[in-house]
Structure formats: structure tokens, C-alpha cells
């Protein structure tokens, strides 16, 4: 089976591509480097020819509500429209646990993505996952003092999320699937501190609580799952011993 992976050259996308190959299916990468522009639709029809499933892990690096909504609106609309023309039987989108409860600008784009997918005629599944263990590495990838948001999270390994998405591709469309989270609740600034220590980095770490309702939501557990669902097995301590924890610049 041919499975298209939107954002297949990105951080999580590469893991999804590996997971697809491990099942014996054929991944088709949808990315600009592969001649596909998700926001304009250029190259999509050709790339989706013969694909039974689309897994969308495309992303935009921004904190701007306007830019996030614009990207996810355009990319999701193009993927769904081209998928319908190509006869795609299952569109799977990765989203974020709590994006409907926290007013971050980036999350507004994820809300728009969910809205489009869940109302689409193409059979679909939306999987919300908590922050990845690797989110701490993103904080350390920035130069200078490390600013870590004060937030409660139930982090999960990105590779386990990739595997979960591919398992969903082998099943029936589920609409909004149960939330996927990790095995334990942690504080994000402590995760960043532990990763820096594991790497032998001595850098100033500044925990910051966001102002207003958003800050209260982040520290109050709004990004935690509120119901039973699948749970990852790898703890953050176990992840710290893996090659993924040592990867920089993601």
C-alpha cells in the first residue's frame, strides 16, 4: 500500500516514513524537496496518485496566530481536495492534546486543521498527542539562555507517536481518536534542565510563566488528557539514554 506522508522530511515526518517502511508499505513523501507544495497544491495530484492513505504531520514554526491559521488552512484544504480527487480512503492528521483549551497562536492553526479534517467528506482520523520528549530538545536548540515555559505535560516519545499514526493507517477511519499521551506527568522546565544535564551543557535556564489565561492553563494541566486513551511506554528518563536525546538542531 502507498501511504503519503505530508511533511515527511520533517522532524516527526522522518519517523513516520521509517515506520511506514517497517510495515512493508511504501511511503510517498509530500514536501517541497520532493516537488510538492502543500499550501498551493503544486505537485499534489501527481504525488497522491495510487495512494490509499494520507498521514499529515506537516508543520509551520511560528507563534503567530495569523501565520499558523494561514498555513494549516491552506495545507489542509489542498490535501483534502487533492485526496478526494485521487480517491484517498483515509486522511489522518496529527494534532495536539489541549489545543482546544489553550489560546496559543500556534494552537489556533491546529484548531483550524481539526475543523477542516473532521468536517471533510474524505474518511478521516485526527490523533491528538501530548508534547513529545523531544520538545525539551527544541528549547535547547536555541542560542543563548534557555527560556523554558512553565507547563505541565504528559510527554510521549515522537517515535511512539509515529508508530501510532501508522497503526491508525491500517485501521478504519475513527474521527477524533482517543488522546495519545506518555506514561507520566512532568514539568517542562524540569525536562529541559534534565536534558541539559544529560548532555553536559551548562547554560542559564529561565523558567517563564506565560501571562494571563494562557499561563494559568499551561500550569494548570490544560495540556493533559482528560479521558482514558493509549499511553506511550517510554519514560523521559529512558528517552534521555537514547540517540534521539543527543540529536541537536531539530
Amino acid at each position: 500500500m502507498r501511504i503519503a506522508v505530508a511533511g515527511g522530511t520533517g522532524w516527526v515526518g522522518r519517523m513516520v516514513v521509517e515506520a511506514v517502511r517497517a510495515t512493508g508499505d511504501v511511503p510517498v513523501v509530500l514536501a517541497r524537496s520532493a516537488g510538492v507544495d502543500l499550501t498551493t497544491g503544486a505537485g499534489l495530484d501527481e504525488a497522491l496518485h495510487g495512494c490509499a492513505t494520507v498521514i499529515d504531520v506537516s508543520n509551520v514554526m511560528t507563534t503567530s496566530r495569523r501565520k499558523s491559521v494561514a498555513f494549516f488552512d491552506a495545507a489542509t484544504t489542498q490535501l483534502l481536495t487533492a485526496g478526494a480527487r485521487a480517491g484517498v480512503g483515509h486522511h489522518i492528521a496529527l494534532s495536539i492534546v489541549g489545543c482546544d483549551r489553550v489560546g496559543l497562536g500556534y494552537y489556533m492553526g491546529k484548531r483550524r486543521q481539526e475543523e477542516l479534517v473532521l468536517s471533510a467528506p474524505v474518511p478521516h482520523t485526527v490523533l491528538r498527542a501530548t508534547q513529545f520528549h523531544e520538545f525539551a530538545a527544541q528549547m535547547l536548540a536555541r542560542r543563548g539562555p534557555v527560556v523554558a515555559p512553565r507547563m505541565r505535560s504528559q510527554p510521549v516519545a515522537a517515535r511512539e507517536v509515529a508508530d501510532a499514526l501508522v497503526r491508525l493507517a491500517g485501521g478504519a477511519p475513527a474521527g477524533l481518536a482517543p488522546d495519545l499521551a506518555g506514561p507520566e506527568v512532568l514539568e517542562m522546565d524540569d525536562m529541559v534542565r534534565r536534558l541539559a544535564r544529560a548532555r553536559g551543557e551548562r547554560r542559564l535556564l529561565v523558567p517563564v510563566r506565560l501571562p494571563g489565561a494562557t499561563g494559568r492553563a499551561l500550569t494548570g494541566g490544560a495540556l493533559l488528557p482528560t479521558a482514558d486513551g493509549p499511553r506511550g511506554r517510554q519514560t523521559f528518563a529512558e528517552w534521555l539514554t537514547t540517540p534521539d536525546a543527543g540529536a541537536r538542531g531539530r
Side-chain angles (χ1 to χ4, degrees):
M1 181 169 69
R2 288 167 60 85
I3 298 178
V5 183
T9 59
W11 178 28
V12 180
R14 292 192 298 269
M15 297 180 185
V16 174
V17 168
E18 291 174 9
V20 169
R21 285 201 182 105
T23 66
D25 289 321
V26 179
V28 177
V29 172
L30 307 181
R32 284 182 179 150
S33 60
V36 176
D37 189 321
L38 297 178
T39 59
T40 67
L44 259 181
D45 287 331
E46 296 83 358
L48 289 179
H49 181 72
C51 290
T53 302
V54 170
I55 299 177
D56 182 11
V57 290
S58 61
N59 196 25
V60 60
M61 298 298 291
T62 184
T63 59
S64 163
R65 172 177 180 163
R66 180 182 61 81
K67 291 180 181 178
S68 181
V69 171
F71 172 82
F72 285 109
D73 184 274
T76 306
T77 298
Q78 294 290 354
L79 280 168
L80 289 168
T81 302
R85 287 195 297 266
V88 167
H90 194 179
H91 181 105
I92 302 169
L94 175 63
S95 191
I96 303 170
V97 171
C99 70
D100 55 336
R101 300 190 295 268
V102 178
L104 291 172
Y106 174 74
Y107 287 4
M108 299 301 105
K110 298 303 290 184
R111 292 186 197 181
R112 179 57 178 157
Q113 179 188 33
E114 289 189 0
E115 181 182 290
L116 288 168
V117 173
L118 293 173
S119 62
V122 176
H124 51 263
T125 301
V126 171
L127 175 65
R128 291 174 174 171
T130 52
Q131 285 67 39
F132 307 142
H133 295 326
E134 288 85 348
F135 188 78
Q138 288 182 299
M139 300 296 99
L140 286 179
R142 301 167 183 170
R143 295 183 178 180
V146 181
V147 178
R150 288 195 179 276
M151 55 185 281
R152 297 183 71 206
S153 181
Q154 194 166 331
V156 63
R159 291 191 183 276
E160 292 187 314
V161 175
D163 289 342
L165 289 166
V166 175
R167 284 196 299 272
L168 286 170
L176 185 60
D179 292 347
L180 172 61
E184 56 189 347
V185 176
L186 299 173
E187 299 294 333
M188 183 56 63
D189 58 313
D190 184 56
M191 291 170 58
V192 176
R193 188 176 294 108
R194 289 167 63 186
L195 177 58
R197 189 183 307 126
R199 290 179 173 181
E201 296 187 24
R202 296 184 178 182
R203 297 169 62 187
L204 176 64
L205 188 146
V206 183
V208 174
R209 174 172 170 157
L210 273 64
T214 296
R216 291 192 296 273
L218 292 175
T219 57
L223 296 181
L224 303 180
T226 58
D228 292 338
R231 297 294 179 260
R233 293 181 294 178
Q234 187 182 61
T235 66
F236 185 68
E238 291 168 339
W239 177 81
L240 286 174
T241 68
T242 68
D244 287 336
R248 289 167 165 78
R250 280 178 165 164

